[in-house]
Amino acid sequence: SEVQWSLSDGQSGGAESSITYGDCLNGASAPTFAPTSVPTFAPIVAPTNSTNSTNSTDPPTTAPNATLTTGGRRITEEVPLEERKLDDMGTSPAPSPFPTSLFAFKYAQCYAQYGEAYGFSAPPTHAPTRFETAPPTITPMPTTPVPSGSPTTGQPTGAPTYSQMPSHMPTATPVAGITMANSSSASVTEDGSTTTWSFTLVLDSEPLNSVTVAISTEHGSDRISLSTGTVEFDSSNYGTTQTVTVAGVDNNVDVGSSYQDYIFFEVTADDTCDNSATGTACNQKVAYNGYDSLNMVAVTVVDDDVAGVTYTEDSLASAINNYGDEYATASYSVYLDSEPTEDVTISTSGLGSWSSASPSTVTFTALNWDTAQTITVASTASTATRPVCSRARRYCDGLKGRSETLTNTVSSDDSYYADLSPTTMAVSVSVQYDTQRAPTIASAKFSDALNTLVVAWSATTNQGGLSGFFDCSEVFDGSTATDSYLGSGSACSWTTAAQLLVTFGTSPAILVGDELVLSETMVQSDGSVTSLFATNQTVSVAMPNNPTDPVAVMTAPDAVGLCDDLSIDASMTSGSGGRTMEYTFSVEDKLTPEITNVTAVFNETNSLNSGYGTYAVTVPSEQMTPSTRYEMAITACNFLRLCDSFSKSIFKMGSPAPLVQIVGTHPLYATYADDLSIRAEASLPNMDCVDSTVSNQMGFIWSETTGQYAGSLETKAPRVLNIDEGQLLANHEYEFQVVAYMLANPNLNNSATLQVIITEQDVVASIAGGSTRVAGTDTDLVMDGSESYDPDDDDSTSFEYVWSCYNTSTAMEACVSASSGSVLAFDAATNITIVAGELAVGTYTFELFVAKGHRNDTATATVIIVAGAPPEVGIAALSEDKYNPTFSSYAMLEGTCSTDDVSYEWSLVSADVSIDSVFTVTGGGSNPVYRAKPTVQVDMLTSGVTYTFRLSATDGYGVTGYSEINLVVNDKPSSGSLAVSPYTGYTIQTGFDFVALGWCDTDLPLTYKYAYTVLDDGVDLSTPTPLADELSSASLSGATLPVGTSGDTYNYTLTGQVRVYDSFRAFATSYDDFRVVPVELTSKQLRKASKNLTTEALASGNPEASLQAIGATHHQMAHMASSGSGRRALLATVSTEQAARMELLQTLEATFAMSDITEANMETILSSLEGILSEPSELTIDAEVQGMILTNDLLAEMVAEETTLSTTAYASAGSALSYLLDSDLFNNTMTSGHSKSGNQIEAVENMTQALKDMTTTVLFGASAGVGYQMWSHRITMHAIHEEAQYVGSI
């Protein structure tokens, strides 16, 4: 049977009753049909704006832009019912408030009342249809209730059931629609993190293809941000909601409590039908392109910014120092709390006149508002007087603390910042007092050597922040720190923090009783807090404690030939203190008639230099009586009026004889450990006063007259007797004699003697391991005195050893056993052992007294005992007592450790230089700071200062031990000068005199090395050419010198040089310029003059004079070669050029044969060889071969004698070999007239050996990490001495 459904709207008015706009919004969504037997559709969702209220019963004031939708689908067209599917109807998300039977009616009523202007489209005109299939069979509900417990068989059990569903359902036309939904009002917080807002989007109908919803905001990303800017839909996800999250953007600007932004939507779609994904018929899908019914959404942003200023401090505290200046400033930072729309300026004010804020204003902009700016408050004493307290006192009424107030005022055109009130801060100004008083000068006195002033201070100082040598005007008032007062070239240096050394320059004028005035603001204490300076103090210079008396030295022959003048030289007199000495020559008045003329000569000399006399005098031969002995004396007095005299008996011979004398101090004091070089000066006999001639061949015989000397008396240089150390015994006196005679007539002879006194040396006590080291309580402590030694090697007496120990932690009490409490006693042995645990933690001083008879010495070492067993570090004793602060002076440090696997690190204790700057470094090698055995460049250290080097070793557990050693840097000689005369002379012809006067040092005797440099472009004054070996004489006479460089720039100028060495080989250098002009000589004249000079020099046993003549000759050749016509006058033919150089080579070879192999001699010989070979085109093949052989022989003999090749000789050797490589000897192309005779193979062998010998000799005595480099136009050489383990990394 057919069941007829009926519906009622439940309203008394039935279908005819009126309807409100709110009812239409809630339920009058119109389907195309309102069937009577299918579910209803969803209510209308009015797309007006995001804040629509669904409860309103009034129509909007303006018609909405979008048409109404139903069930989430827009009504766009009518579709016949038979073409629809059940699923097109869908189910409503919420039931319609209208009864189903009234649906169409009510919708028609909404349309009639409000029309299309408010989104209601015309209702459909088609009539509803019935199901075309058989209706479902329904079992009727029972009409009578069934009693409880009654049987139910045959009775219906519940609601009627369908026997079947209809096979066709009426369908609705799908429409395009997008539903946006959200859970709350559109409001977010500005910071974007605490509160966000989100909404969802979903399509109402399946699209033909893809749909894109682009989402944007009115202000871009300035106010709000979106989790996505696009939402994509297609057939697979059109019914799935997609969420978009809206967050606020923090713009940092205070604009009030809130502001708005707007969200806009733009829909684009691909309306090409694609049913491959779901199979839905195209006519059941909808087109979305151009859909514009999603309205903008207003979003409220809650502002989280508040205009304000943050100050990092509420109050401030500054401080002033004892001097009255600022000590500690007070600072605070300021920044804005929000970004301003206009610049904001904060100004400070309110401080007193003795405090200031810097900067006084700060400005913030939109770019730097949140960047803190710092304002610093500085204060000074409330008076302009400095120091505040007089006489450098620390406390006085004028130096007090105080309180002030600082005000910060904000100004801006930004209204939110313009309204801010000023902020005040309390400022407290305190006084920071120095931890100790400013130092004062305790004394200033001459040193014993008289060449320095020792300025002692009342306390340790900050050294004025100065290190090394500096101008004394840095410390003393300018009027007392001038060159005229302290000497030209004077300098100051700190030897300790409480002692300043003033080293005089040349010709100082300051005397005992004169004053030094201290600069006001330079020297302070070295306390932890210090501001006061040593005041403008005046100190009077005092006498030295033990002034060095002058030592008068007279150099003169024992006898003088009949025709010879007598020359007496006192230039070696010491004790001048760098001042002009007063010299007085005299002769004893025993033979009145014979001394009258001599006395007259002496008186004239003594009257020179305003009565100060001069150091040298010459008595003409005719003023002396033949066959007469004179007792002549010299008295020398220094500026302190301390005097010394020396007398000598001189015999005037009745016949001609060679002149001979031994230069140096008479007698000569030396020790067993000294190498001695006894040098004689000699000249051929003068035969002018007799009718006779003599050959120029002279011989020399050396002897020791006491018979105590058993060593060799053989000499290579005839005038020089060298005696190695250990040959002369302590406490012995020797007399050495040299006899000079003429080979053709031995009866023409003369002699000179020298008394040599060998003094005792004290034994040297030494404790191995360093001056200070760390040991542990858990290990035995061994104190080793085996490095003590006797420098006199006296085996007749044994060493005695006495050990002592003192606890420096307890006022130097004797060391006690930690276990028994008794005083520790030690054996009289070389080494002692203190067993583990016997010494408690603390600092101990061990003292070793060693003696051999009356000779003794004491050594001390500090041991710091710590808990546990740290690595035991030791440092070997240094090889020298003093090291020289000069170029190429090095000290090797050798550290050891009881543990193998440790890391080393060197440091300096309280030094004026950094540890990194004092060690040598080879390219690519490891950092020497972390080596056990680094090398110190002593020239990086300050003269006269003792440096403490510490070696720390850290094991794998992080436990560290260390040891220390002291390195004493020697003072070099000072206060002297060099004078060369005459100022202008001729090469070859003029004899130049070099005099070095006024040199002072505590380590005597001094020696002198004279040299010259021909000034030219690129010349290096550090590599001069020596004129002679080192001399004990302060003068050198009659030197033959080369011509200078022509032209206006140099004008034939040479620079004379003297290096003055003390006994430890520290040296100082002085210079003097003079001119050597060329001579107008023909080729024949030059060769003859050169030949005469060299022949006479060699005949008289004077190789230095021969080398001088060779050097002058090849320089003159080079000068004339560059002067055009002069060269043609000198060297008319090629054979003459070749012969000249060959002659020089032969002379050089003969000179080398009688020269000692010393550093200075080799410098001169190699320099001459370089000059001779410098024109390879002027060398014959024989000269080339001889030059190669001579070079090889020179270097080979240096290797044999273990003589160091100096940097000067290194460069000369490299240049000489380079010139040989340029010659035909190493040229495979034959030169016309040259015959190589198979010499090339030998030359290559010699060249190879010479290069090898160069590297060997330049590294003699070099410490690890020391290297030398040589460049010439053919050869570049790098010679480096390095530990084997580091060689591979160079």
Side-chain angles (χ1 to χ4, degrees):
S1 62
E2 181 177 310
V3 176
Q4 180 66 46
W5 291 84
S6 62
L7 300 173
S8 170
D9 64 357
Q11 297 182 23
S12 58
E16 298 294 332
S17 58
S18 65
I19 186 168
T20 67
Y21 181 73
D23 291 335
C24 289
L25 290 180
N26 289 323
S29 307
T32 303
F33 294 98
T36 58
S37 50
V38 295
T40 62
F41 292 90
I44 293 173
V45 178
T48 54
N49 55 54
S50 60
T51 57
N52 284 344
S53 172
T54 57
N55 296 321
S56 174
T57 59
D58 299 321
T61 58
T62 59
N65 294 326
T67 57
L68 297 177
T69 60
T70 178
R73 294 168 174 77
R74 177 185 293 272
I75 302 173
T76 59
E77 62 180 356
E78 297 179 2
V79 182
L81 182 60
E82 59 271 26
E83 297 179 10
R84 301 188 179 199
K85 297 180 180 179
L86 181 62
D87 54 30
D88 285 325
M89 302 294 186
T91 56
S92 174
S96 171
F98 299 128
T100 303
S101 60
L102 295 179
F103 192 92
F105 174 78
K106 291 295 185 183
Y107 183 83
Q109 200 174 24
C110 289
Y111 174 76
Q113 187 168 343
Y114 297 104
E116 293 180 353
Y118 292 98
F120 297 96
S121 57
T125 58
H126 296 80
T129 60
R130 296 183 179 277
F131 295 106
E132 297 177 0
T133 57
T137 301
I138 300 175
T139 301
M141 291 289 291
T143 57
T144 303
V146 178
S148 177
S150 300
T152 59
T153 303
Q155 299 296 324
T157 57
T161 60
Y162 293 100
S163 61
Q164 64 177 39
M165 288 295 292
S167 60
H168 295 284
M169 296 289 288
T171 60
T173 302
V175 294
I178 302 176
T179 298
M180 184 188 76
N182 58 74
S183 59
S184 61
S185 62
S187 177
V188 296
T189 56
E190 189 180 65
D191 62 8
S193 60
T194 57
T195 302
T196 60
W197 177 74
S198 61
F199 61 88
T200 60
L201 295 175
V202 66
L203 299 189
D204 296 341
S205 300
E206 182 178 351
L208 289 168
N209 204 318
S210 61
V211 179
T212 299
V213 181
I215 310 170
S216 61
T217 65
E218 180 179 14
H219 294 280
S221 59
D222 289 345
R223 295 189 176 185
I224 60 175
S225 66
L226 304 172
S227 60
T228 180
T230 58
V231 175
E232 303 281 349
F233 293 101
D234 57 23
S235 296
S236 64
N237 71 339
Y238 74 94
T240 302
T241 59
Q242 298 193 47
T243 301
V244 179
T245 301
V246 182
V249 176
D250 195 350
N251 61 8
N252 301 314
V253 180
D254 183 0
V255 294
S257 60
S258 65
Y259 52 91
Q260 284 190 323
D261 199 355
Y262 297 89
I263 299 175
F264 298 99
F265 304 92
E266 181 180 359
V267 180
T268 59
D270 180 1
D271 288 343
T272 302
C273 181
D274 179 9
N275 58 4
S276 61
T278 60
T280 305
C282 291
N283 60 5
Q284 295 299 306
K285 298 183 178 184
V286 297
Y288 275 89
N289 195 35
Y291 180 83
D292 59 357
S293 297
L294 284 175
N295 286 347
M296 68 178 182
V297 178
V299 179
T300 299
V301 182
V302 178
D303 194 1
D304 65 345
D305 298 300
V306 178
V309 180
T310 295
Y311 301 93
T312 58
E313 303 292 338
D314 295 329
S315 60
L316 305 173
S318 63
I320 58 178
N321 58 28
N322 251 135
Y323 193 72
D325 291 341
E326 66 178 64
Y327 172 76
T329 59
S331 298
Y332 64 97
S333 295
V334 57
Y335 56 89
L336 304 186
D337 297 339
S338 65
E339 180 182 326
T341 58
E342 300 291 342
D343 290 357
V344 176
T345 298
I346 300 174
S347 304
T348 60
S349 61
L351 292 174
S353 57
W354 303 102
S355 295
S356 63
S358 178
S360 59
T361 62
V362 293
T363 298
F364 293 96
T365 68
L367 298 178
N368 73 340
W369 64 273
D370 57 347
T371 300
Q373 298 190 54
T374 299
I375 297 176
T376 300
V377 175
S379 303
T380 62
S382 53
T383 174
T385 302
R386 294 292 183 277
V388 176
C389 303
S390 61
R391 299 187 300 279
R393 291 178 299 154
R394 285 186 287 175
Y395 307 101
C396 64
D397 291 340
L399 196 64
K400 296 180 179 179
R402 62 181 185 270
S403 297
E404 299 184 28
T405 299
L406 174 68
T407 300
N408 296 277
T409 303
V410 181
S411 60
S412 177
D413 289 337
D414 183 324
S415 60
Y416 290 99
Y417 277 98
D419 294 338
L420 297 179
S421 300
T423 300
T424 60
M425 299 176 180
V427 180
S428 173
V429 183
S430 61
V431 179
Q432 177 62 60
Y433 295 97
D434 285 6
T435 53
Q436 59 192 61
R437 294 191 61 180
T440 58
I441 296 179
S443 64
K445 60 179 62 178
F446 281 94
S447 65
D448 292 348
L450 307 179
N451 63 327
T452 59
L453 283 179
V454 180
V455 181
W457 296 78
S458 61
T460 53
T461 71
N462 70 341
Q463 303 180 33
L466 302 168
S467 62
F469 282 96
F470 50 88
D471 195 296
C472 293
S473 62
E474 297 277 2
V475 176
F476 297 108
D477 184 76
S479 62
T480 61
T482 62
D483 284 349
S484 61
Y485 198 56
L486 301 179
S488 177
S490 62
C492 285
S493 61
W494 291 94
T495 56
T496 70
Q499 180 172 290
L500 176 71
L501 191 69
V502 180
T503 301
F504 297 138
T506 303
S507 302
I510 189 169
L511 299 171
V512 173
D514 287 347
E515 294 179 338
L516 286 174
V517 179
L518 185 66
S519 294
E520 281 249 351
T521 57
M522 197 65 196
V523 180
Q524 298 175 296
S525 76
D526 63 348
S528 58
V529 177
T530 180
S531 63
L532 296 174
F533 294 90
T535 57
N536 191 14
Q537 183 182 354
T538 299
V539 61
S540 180
V541 178
M543 282 283 289
N545 296 330
N546 300 292
T548 300
D549 291 323
V551 176
V553 177
M554 178 191 292
T555 301
D558 294 347
V560 61
L562 177 64
C563 303
D564 290 301
D565 297 337
L566 171 64
S567 293
I568 303 175
D569 186 346
S571 61
M572 291 184 62
T573 298
S574 62
S576 68
R579 322 295 178 95
T580 299
M581 295 192 78
E582 181 180 344
Y583 298 96
T584 304
F585 290 96
S586 63
V587 58
E588 289 189 14
D589 190 11
K590 291 182 178 179
L591 301 171
T592 303
E594 287 79 9
I595 70 168
T596 301
N597 294 338
V598 175
T599 300
V601 173
F602 284 173
N603 288 340
E604 182 180 355
T605 301
N606 296 339
S607 66
L608 298 175
N609 300 320
S610 302
Y612 279 87
T614 184
Y615 63 90
V617 63
T618 297
V619 181
S621 175
E622 62 270 18
Q623 302 298 329
M624 301 180 70
T625 303
S627 302
T628 302
R629 184 170 296 280
Y630 294 85
E631 296 295 328
M632 298 185 177
I634 175 69
T635 299
C637 300
N638 64 18
F639 69 101
L640 295 179
R641 299 306 302 166
L642 300 174
C643 302
D644 185 47
S645 297
F646 180 84
S647 62
K648 181 180 180 67
S649 177
I650 301 174
F651 182 68
K652 177 64 174 179
M653 302 175 72
S655 61
L659 270 177
V660 61
Q661 60 189 16
I662 296 176
V663 297
T665 305
H666 292 253
L668 175 62
Y669 289 90
T671 68
Y672 174 84
D674 290 332
D675 289 324
L676 295 185
S677 183
I678 303 174
R679 177 180 291 269
E681 290 183 350
S683 60
L684 297 172
N686 188 341
M687 308 297 288
D688 292 345
C689 65
V690 296
D691 187 14
S692 179
T693 59
V694 66
S695 70
N696 60 8
Q697 294 295 312
M698 186 184 294
F700 297 86
I701 299 174
W702 288 91
S703 63
E704 198 283 309
T705 62
T706 69
Q708 299 180 86
Y709 175 67
S712 173
L713 293 170
E714 293 183 5
T715 64
K716 182 180 182 184
R719 297 183 177 194
V720 181
L721 175 64
N722 294 311
I723 301 174
D724 294 335
E725 64 173 306
Q727 299 295 309
L728 302 179
L729 302 179
N731 285 328
H732 285 65
E733 294 185 10
Y734 302 85
E735 186 178 78
F736 291 91
Q737 182 184 72
V738 61
V739 176
Y741 65 95
M742 305 310 297
L743 293 179
N745 185 3
N747 290 326
L748 288 179
N749 66 73
N750 201 350
S751 65
T753 59
L754 173 68
Q755 184 183 15
V756 179
I757 300 173
I758 306 301
T759 60
E760 280 186 325
Q761 302 175 90
D762 283 331
V763 295
V764 177
S766 178
I767 302 175
S771 59
T772 301
R773 59 190 172 115
V774 173
T777 55
D778 295 350
T779 56
D780 292 346
L781 172 64
V782 177
M783 303 302 296
D784 182 359
S786 62
E787 294 181 1
S788 302
Y789 65 96
D790 177 8
D792 284 341
D793 281 345
D794 182 5
D795 296 333
S796 63
T797 306
S798 299
F799 268 117
E800 296 179 14
Y801 298 89
V802 179
W803 288 92
S804 304
C805 177
Y806 303 95
N807 189 336
T808 53
S809 303
T810 57
M812 295 297 288
E813 296 177 354
C815 298
V816 298
S817 168
S819 57
S820 66
S822 60
V823 175
L824 293 176
F826 307 106
D827 295 334
T830 305
N831 300 343
I832 60 172
T833 300
I834 298 94
V835 299
E838 279 293 88
L839 288 177
V841 172
T843 302
Y844 301 86
T845 297
F846 284 85
E847 183 178 275
L848 172 61
F849 174 84
V850 297
K852 272 191 174 184
H854 63 278
R855 297 182 298 138
N856 59 73
D857 190 31
T858 301
T860 60
T862 299
V863 179
I864 302 170
I865 302 295
V866 299
E872 293 185 21
V873 183
I875 304 175
L878 296 173
S879 60
E880 303 289 342
D881 294 334
K882 294 181 180 180
Y883 286 85
N884 301 315
T886 50
F887 176 73
S888 295
S889 178
Y890 302 95
M892 182 74 174
L893 302 179
E894 298 187 50
T896 59
C897 186
S898 60
T899 305
D900 292 333
D901 188 17
V902 294
S903 58
Y904 292 104
E905 183 173 1
W906 288 91
S907 58
L908 275 166
V909 180
S910 301
D912 58 356
V913 293
S914 67
I915 191 67
D916 292 314
S917 66
V918 302
F919 288 146
T920 60
V921 179
T922 54
S926 64
N927 189 334
V929 172
Y930 306 107
R931 294 187 186 182
K933 299 178 181 180
T935 298
V936 179
Q937 301 180 88
V938 186
D939 63 335
M940 301 300 296
L941 307 178
T942 303
S943 299
V945 177
T946 298
Y947 291 85
T948 300
F949 286 83
R950 174 182 291 178
L951 175 61
S952 301
T954 304
D955 62 20
Y957 299 99
V959 180
T960 300
Y962 68 84
S963 179
E964 295 175 351
I965 196 165
N966 295 325
L967 187 152
V968 179
V969 183
N970 191 13
D971 269 328
K972 56 188 179 182
S974 66
S975 306
S977 63
L978 171 69
V980 180
S981 61
Y983 175 72
T984 300
Y986 292 94
T987 185
I988 303 297
Q989 297 177 349
T990 303
F992 290 84
D993 296 333
F994 288 62
V995 180
L997 295 179
W999 291 95
C1000 303
D1001 198 273
T1002 57
D1003 302 314
L1004 302 175
L1006 302 178
T1007 56
Y1008 305 83
K1009 181 179 177 182
Y1010 301 97
Y1012 67 88
T1013 301
V1014 178
L1015 297 184
D1016 203 348
D1017 294 340
V1019 72
D1020 186 356
L1021 289 179
S1022 67
T1023 57
T1025 301
L1027 288 166
D1029 203 354
E1030 281 183 41
L1031 305 175
S1032 57
S1033 175
S1035 63
L1036 181 146
S1037 300
T1040 301
L1041 292 169
V1043 64
T1045 303
S1046 62
D1048 293 338
T1049 303
Y1050 299 107
N1051 194 23
Y1052 303 110
T1053 301
L1054 276 67
T1055 296
Q1057 179 189 104
V1058 63
R1059 278 188 177 181
V1060 183
Y1061 295 85
D1062 69 9
S1063 60
F1064 285 96
R1065 305 294 298 158
F1067 68 84
T1069 306
S1070 184
Y1071 304 91
D1072 191 28
D1073 288 346
F1074 58 99
R1075 297 175 67 241
V1076 182
V1077 299
V1079 290
E1080 295 297 329
L1081 294 175
T1082 65
S1083 165
K1084 183 176 180 180
Q1085 289 170 334
L1086 177 61
R1087 291 179 63 186
K1088 182 179 179 181
S1090 176
K1091 186 73 172 177
N1092 289 340
L1093 288 172
T1094 57
T1095 300
E1096 181 177 338
L1098 293 175
S1100 62
N1102 189 356
E1104 286 97 344
S1106 176
L1107 289 171
Q1108 293 169 18
I1110 293 171
T1113 301
H1114 73 70
H1115 274 86
Q1116 178 72 6
M1117 291 171 64
H1119 168 75
M1120 299 181 75
S1122 64
S1123 63
S1125 60
R1127 173 173 173 78
R1128 289 194 295 271
L1130 169 65
L1131 302 172
T1133 67
V1134 173
S1135 61
T1136 305
E1137 297 171 356
Q1138 294 169 345
R1141 293 193 182 272
M1142 186 66 183
E1143 254 182 26
L1144 289 175
L1145 270 175
Q1146 292 169 343
T1147 303
L1148 183 62
E1149 188 172 14
T1151 304
F1152 168 60
M1154 67 165 52
S1155 299
D1156 284 330
I1157 307 301
T1158 65
E1159 182 178 303
N1161 283 343
M1162 291 302 101
E1163 287 177 352
T1164 308
I1165 293 172
L1166 285 167
S1167 175
S1168 296
L1169 181 61
E1170 175 190 5
I1172 295 169
L1173 300 176
S1174 61
E1175 292 293 338
S1177 63
E1178 298 177 3
L1179 299 175
T1180 65
I1181 190 65
D1182 292 336
E1184 294 166 0
V1185 171
Q1186 186 169 350
M1188 184 69 257
I1189 293 174
L1190 179 57
T1191 306
N1192 198 44
D1193 289 347
L1194 287 169
L1195 295 169
E1197 195 152 346
M1198 292 187 72
V1199 172
E1201 294 291 330
E1202 296 188 2
T1203 301
T1204 302
L1205 189 69
S1206 69
T1207 54
T1208 301
Y1210 195 27
S1212 294
S1215 294
L1217 292 175
S1218 291
Y1219 290 132
L1220 286 170
L1221 288 172
D1222 286 337
S1223 73
D1224 286 336
L1225 189 61
F1226 291 90
N1227 185 354
N1228 288 330
T1229 303
M1230 294 294 291
T1231 300
S1232 177
H1234 283 198
S1235 174
K1236 299 185 181 181
S1237 304
N1239 289 313
Q1240 283 190 322
I1241 294 178
E1242 181 182 359
V1244 169
E1245 292 173 351
N1246 284 336
M1247 178 66 72
T1248 303
Q1249 187 61 44
L1251 294 172
K1252 177 180 177 181
D1253 289 344
M1254 281 179 66
T1255 63
T1256 302
T1257 57
V1258 78
L1259 292 177
F1260 275 138
S1263 300
V1266 174
Y1268 300 95
Q1269 303 174 28
M1270 181 277 298
W1271 291 269
S1272 65
H1273 67 282
R1274 291 292 186 200
I1275 300 171
T1276 301
M1277 181 179 291
H1278 302 259
I1280 302 172
H1281 182 197
E1282 184 56 284
E1283 292 184 63
Q1285 60 182 315
Y1286 302 119
V1287 168
S1289 62
I1290 295 176

